[in-house]
Amino acid sequence: MYASVAIFMSQPGKLDELLTAFRDKIVPVIKESAIQHEYVLTDAKTNKVIAIALYETEAEAEQMQISGEFQRLIGMMADTLIVESVTRGGYDVSIQV
């Protein structure tokens, strides 16, 4: 398994709106993608959001980036997040319980 981790900041006071946009706009796309599981972690005190997407392979995760799909999904939430804050990294899943 391979994990793609995106970290970004919600605009102040827009975290609930961001999560609603994620549920309504992003989740349907995820269900049709190579993503096997998606976890969204939030900290309302700091407006920090961590989205963890699990793929079977690193190639599947990279295809999401190369195809522009990741950027398109971020664009769907652009009015609720600080676009400049978005960072993304990839990691091998070494232990899964």
Side-chain angles (χ1 to χ4, degrees):
M1 289 223 109
Y2 192 79
S4 176
V5 179
I7 301 171
F8 48 93
M9 303 295 288
S10 166
Q11 292 179 13
K14 298 244 182 177
L15 183 58
D16 287 340
E17 190 177 331
L18 183 145
L19 293 174
T20 297
F22 198 97
R23 278 188 210 99
D24 295 347
K25 298 176 182 178
I26 308 300
V27 168
V29 175
I30 287 172
K31 288 182 177 183
E32 299 298 321
S33 75
I35 296 172
Q36 295 188 358
H37 298 285
E38 178 82 24
Y39 300 95
V40 179
L41 314 174
T42 60
D43 183 339
K45 293 176 189 161
T46 64
N47 295 314
K48 188 174 188 176
V49 180
I50 302 171
I52 303 169
L54 297 179
Y55 297 85
E56 188 62 37
T57 67
E58 181 178 359
E60 290 173 341
E62 287 306 310
Q63 184 58 37
M64 181 71 94
Q65 183 75 22
I66 293 166
S67 70
E69 188 67 3
F70 176 76
Q71 293 81 358
R72 186 177 80 83
L73 296 176
I74 291 297
M76 290 180 176
M77 300 181 295
D79 59 340
T80 61
L81 59 83
I82 300 170
V83 176
E84 302 80 25
S85 71
V86 178
T87 61
R88 183 182 169 277
Y91 306 88
D92 290 318
V93 176
S94 300
I95 298 174
Q96 185 176 353
V97 180

